[in-house]
Each structure stands twice: as structure tokens, then as C-alpha cells.
Amino acid sequence: MSGISVLRSSCLVAAMAALLVSSSSCTLTQLKESNRRLKEANERLVSRYNQLEQDVAELERQLQSRDEEIARLRDRGDSAPKTAIVTASMSATKEFTDMGLEAEKTDEGTVVRLDHAVFFPLGKATLSSEGKRILSQVSRILNTRHAGKLIRVEGHTDDTPIRKVRNLYPTNWELSTARACSVVRYLVESGNVSPHRVYPAGFAYYRPREAGSSARSKSRNRRVEILILDESA
């Protein structure tokens, strides 16, 4: 090989080596730049992820706070009507209970119970003087606080069959109805309760307050009830 050929070969090898070095240098720089960019992107993703975690935690806190507030409002809403109902019930019965009468609020209205022993002799439908006195006070309440409401006067007996006064009251139906009528007549004629809003009903022994045949049960079942209906005449 001539000297020129050798020189040419050497120059070619040197040029190729330089090209490889230059190429390697460029590739390394590019890799470093890509790595830097990837690192920055990863840092941004980590930062965004941390921010999202904080946002989720805040949303969960707000949801919990909202649920607690809803629960408080629900409890308040449940208790308010009950409180109002209890207050209204006490108000509706207080004037009667202050008189010593038994009264309670029911789904139909206000019930005032009249003890048969105070109002009627056993087996009779004639009002006693004490019964009339009490009904006079009841009439005033009916004409003021409960003005305009329908009133059903109910007669009730125990389950003992009629014997001594069968000529007047063949069955307990007649006796219970006669007692209810006596109360209605007194309310209208002496208490000035409008006859258009009061009426009698007799239930005999078919609506007992207390089951059983004891003296106590029979006594509780013999009664007249004044039901002030929750509707107007």
C-alpha cells in the first residue's frame, strides 16, 4: 500500500471516530435533557396528586359536616311537631282536668269522661245534682274554647244484663243511649250548647275501657264520654 493510501485510510478512520464521538455526545445530551424534562413532569404530577388528595380530604370534611347538619335538622324537625302536638293536647284537656275530670286527646278529638257514679244512680238515666253542676262548667268550655265543633255524647255500660228496670230499658243499648240523651238534653237546654252540633250515641258494653269482670273493670266501663270532634259543625 502506498503512503497516500495509508494516509487516506488514517484520515477516514479519524473522521469516523470523530463522528462517533460527536454522535455519542449529542445522544448523551439529549438523554440528559429528556431525563430532566421527565423529572420535572413527574414532580408536577406528584404536586398535582398531593393537591388532589388535599381537595378530596376537604370535600370529605364538607360532606361530613353537611350530613351532621342534615341529621340535626331532621332531629329538630321530628321533635318540633311532637312538641307542638303534646302542647296542643295538654292545652285542649287542661280546663277539663282542672275540674277533676278525666280527659285526653285522641285521633278523633278530645274525650272527656264522666264517671257514672257521679252523674247517674245505678241502673238509671237521671242526672244527679252534682252531675248537672259539672255539666254547667263543661258547657261553658264547649261554648268558648270549642265553639263550633261537633260533639258526640257516648253512653257506655258494663256487661251486666238489665234486670230490675227492664220495663224502662230492655237492654243495655237503651240504658246507654238514655244516659247519653240526658247529657245532651242538659247541654242544650241548660248549657246553651247549639243542638246543631251535639248528638247522642249508645254503645252498651261493646266498647269497654277495660277487659274483665272485676268490680273495678265494670266500674270503669260504666261511663259517659263527651267527644269533641276535630271537625266543625
Side-chain angles (χ1 to χ4, degrees):
M1 181 179 297
S2 65
I4 295 175
S5 296
V6 172
L7 180 59
R8 286 179 179 175
S9 297
S10 298
C11 289
L12 181 60
V13 171
M16 291 179 63
L19 180 62
L20 287 173
V21 170
S22 175
S23 176
S24 297
S25 176
C26 291
T27 301
L28 182 60
T29 301
Q30 291 174 350
L31 287 175
K32 287 182 178 180
E33 180 63 20
S34 296
N35 184 61
R36 183 186 65 78
R37 291 177 180 177
L38 287 174
K39 185 177 180 181
E40 290 179 351
N42 181 67
E43 289 176 349
R44 287 194 297 269
L45 287 175
V46 170
S47 176
R48 180 59 179 161
Y49 176 79
N50 292 335
Q51 182 62 47
L52 289 174
E53 277 194 328
Q54 294 177 10
D55 293 344
V56 169
E58 176 62 19
L59 286 174
E60 289 178 344
R61 186 192 66 77
Q62 293 178 6
L63 286 173
Q64 183 178 358
S65 178
R66 187 198 64 178
D67 291 342
E68 291 173 354
E69 180 64 19
I70 290 174
R72 284 195 297 269
L73 291 174
R74 186 183 295 115
D75 292 341
R76 189 183 305 168
D78 289 343
S79 62
K82 292 177 183 177
T83 303
I85 290 171
V86 171
T87 302
S89 175
M90 292 177 63
S91 177
T93 59
K94 186 178 186 302
E95 290 177 282
F96 297 112
T97 55
D98 286 347
M99 295 169 52
L101 299 177
E102 184 181 352
E104 68 173 328
K105 197 78 171 62
T106 68
D107 292 338
E108 287 189 279
T110 301
V111 177
V112 183
R113 294 191 177 91
L114 311 178
D115 187 347
H116 80 285
V118 175
F119 285 81
F120 301 101
L122 191 62
K124 296 185 179 182
T126 304
L127 279 168
S128 66
S129 57
E130 178 64 11
K132 293 177 181 179
R133 185 190 68 79
I134 294 174
L135 285 178
S136 294
Q137 298 180 47
V138 170
S139 297
R140 286 195 292 271
I141 300 173
L142 296 178
N143 288 329
T144 53
R145 181 172 182 80
H146 301 282
K149 289 188 176 180
L150 286 172
I151 302 165
R152 185 172 72 227
V153 180
E154 302 176 353
H156 301 268
T157 68
D158 60 26
D159 58 357
T160 302
I162 298 295
R163 292 190 178 89
K164 293 182 179 180
V165 291
R166 185 171 294 178
N167 59 319
L168 295 175
Y169 313 111
T171 68
N172 292 62
W173 286 110
E174 285 81 5
L175 177 59
S176 64
T177 304
R179 286 177 170 174
C181 287
S182 293
V183 172
V184 168
R185 188 167 61 251
Y186 189 88
L187 292 176
V188 172
E189 295 176 354
S190 300
N192 297 318
V193 176
S194 171
H196 299 291
R197 66 186 188 101
V198 59
Y199 63 97
F203 292 101
Y205 48 82
Y206 293 102
R207 291 192 179 184
R209 290 187 65 193
E210 186 174 302
S213 57
S214 66
R216 179 183 182 279
S217 297
K218 289 181 179 291
S219 178
R220 284 172 60 80
N221 292 335
R222 294 192 297 268
R223 68 202 188 277
V224 170
E225 295 183 345
I226 297 177
L227 175 58
I228 306 165
L229 297 165
D230 284 338
E231 57 181 298
S232 299

